[in-house]
Amino acid sequence: MKISSIVGKDKLTLSFEVFPPKTDSDFEKVKEAAFGVAAIKPAYISVTYGAGGSTSTNTLAIAKGIQEKYGVATIAHLTCVGASKDSIIKSLSDMRDAGIENVLALRGDKPKWFDGEPFKEYKYASGGFSVGGACYPEVHPDSANRQEDIINLKKKVDAGCEFLTTQMFFDNSVYYDFVENVRKAGIDVPVIPGIMPITRESQIENVIKLSGCKMPQQFIKIVDRFKEDKASMKQAGIIYATQQILDLYANGVKNVHVYSMNDSSVAGAIYNNLSDILSM
Ligand code: FAD
């Protein structure tokens, strides 16, 4: 099923992100974890792509498996950094053959091991086969400023992105301001907020490094108070993410994407917290 026929409608939806195994020896273990998230039967599942295409066949295998076993629509991420046009065409045709109808078209970051010209054929995520794209409420780290970032975002939408998923954020006002600016720029596709449940203190450093997003004082206090007790920290992270999602729905957002990181206990808890709301 096409994601564009799921998002932007009246029905409230929750979707999850899973990642594929990095190595073939991990395949079964990681597949089972990803399938655990699919068993919750969210609106759809996105399957990430390892830096520089390092997991391309596993991304496809996980996405195909989820669709076939659980009947849940998937969107396969695809990065173009370091890729040739031929390899992108091949990836897209493999996706079609596997019955995947949705692609999150990404530029990606230069992988650590890659020493070639990273953006020779594809400089940015705009252009070519594109259904969904990424956007950055707290501005992409490569952008000079928000205005420039939004101008470039418009190019992606004009090139065919039918919906956008945001980088994670922990303060909803950041998302509301961003959407206001995006709409002023004439971008009218759904902007799906990406919510990351932080259930361990150790995730924070990585998240900040990866996304550059700010942690609000309210959340820092929660982490400081509960970080020493694993179960309490997990519960607090789930509650915080649920509250963010609830606030988004209350403010008219229809579709929320959760960076659930293959943890079905976290994804399931958030889903259950919102079960009546989601079946409205
Ligand atoms: P782009 O949209 O190309 O933007 C990158 C920079 O280039 C920005 O500064 C932008 O303003 C600028 N730019 C864009 N178009 C133009 C243009 N036409 N002219 C001039 N400047 C331009 N990474 C992975 O490796 N695998 C994944 O599976 C993955 N999934 C992600 C999912 C989401 C929802 C998000 C938010 C990010 C994901 N990433 C993933 C990370 C992403 O690949 C990096 O953030 C990367 O640095 C940017 O990719 P992009 O597609 O957003 O880039």
Side-chain angles (χ1 to χ4, degrees):
M1 188 188 254
K2 291 235 159 79
I3 305 297
S4 53
S5 70
I6 300 173
V7 301
K9 309 280 184 272
D10 276 343
K11 175 99 184 78
L12 299 183
T13 73
L14 198 62
S15 53
F16 294 122
E17 180 171 291
V18 299
F19 56 83
K22 283 199 178 75
T23 60
D24 289 345
S25 58
D26 281 350
F27 189 82
E28 283 306 315
K29 204 172 112 216
V30 179
K31 183 186 87 176
E32 283 317 312
F35 279 14
V37 175
I40 299 163
K41 300 260 183 152
Y44 64 90
I45 288 196
S46 72
V47 187
T48 64
Y49 198 73
S54 51
T55 65
S56 61
T57 49
N58 289 342
T59 297
L60 201 56
I62 298 288
K64 186 173 189 269
I66 288 173
Q67 291 197 161
E68 288 176 358
K69 186 157 184 208
Y70 297 95
V72 174
T74 62
I75 173 162
H77 295 202
L78 177 64
T79 69
C80 57
V81 58
S84 65
K85 288 199 174 167
D86 286 348
S87 70
I88 292 291
I89 289 166
K90 164 93 174 59
S91 299
L92 292 169
S93 85
D94 288 348
M95 279 180 198
R96 281 218 180 90
D97 292 347
I100 314 291
E101 295 181 90
N102 307 288
V103 177
L104 192 74
L106 294 153
R107 183 195 75 177
D109 288 320
K110 184 180 161 187
K112 285 191 200 92
W113 47 264
F114 188 82
D115 60 2
E117 163 55 74
F119 305 124
K120 207 161 126 201
E121 300 242 33
Y122 294 101
K123 276 202 165 71
Y124 308 107
S126 48
F129 190 106
S130 173
V131 174
C135 61
Y136 301 83
E138 294 182 69
V139 184
H140 190 279
D142 292 352
S143 274
N145 53 52
R146 165 167 292 191
Q147 205 189 355
E148 182 191 290
D149 212 20
I150 291 182
I151 288 171
N152 291 326
L153 188 61
K154 175 107 174 35
K155 290 182 194 163
K156 287 208 284 200
V157 174
D158 290 345
C161 270
E162 293 166 288
F163 61 93
L164 299 163
T165 304
T166 74
Q167 181 60 285
M168 61 195 77
F169 55 85
F170 297 89
D171 174 354
N172 286 0
S173 64
V174 166
Y175 169 83
Y176 299 131
D177 287 351
F178 176 68
V179 173
E180 204 181 309
N181 283 305
V182 157
R183 298 295 179 233
K184 274 188 200 150
I187 296 172
D188 57 5
V189 297
V191 180
I192 302 164
I195 299 297
M196 167 77 134
I198 298 276
T199 53
R200 295 183 311 277
E201 191 209 4
S202 59
Q203 286 171 277
I204 294 179
E205 197 188 320
N206 218 4
V207 159
I208 294 177
K209 207 166 89 191
L210 205 85
S211 67
C213 58
K214 290 179 213 79
M215 294 285 165
Q217 205 48 37
Q218 187 200 2
F219 187 62
I220 291 171
K221 276 196 172 160
I222 290 172
V223 176
D224 281 346
R225 176 69 183 84
F226 300 111
K227 65 186 177 192
E228 305 299 346
D229 185 82
K230 259 182 157 178
S232 306
M233 184 59 234
K234 183 171 175 181
Q235 192 169 51
I238 289 168
I239 293 172
Y240 191 86
T242 306
Q243 275 180 348
Q244 271 194 283
I245 300 168
L246 185 61
D247 177 74
L248 289 162
Y249 287 151
N251 280 281
V253 174
K254 300 281 194 298
N255 319 103
V256 178
H257 194 59
V258 177
Y259 295 115
S260 47
M261 308 297 284
N262 293 15
D263 190 333
S264 58
S265 68
V266 173
I270 293 175
Y271 205 87
N272 287 338
N273 284 344
L274 297 161
S275 58
D276 287 339
I277 289 167
L278 288 166
S279 56
M280 264 192 341

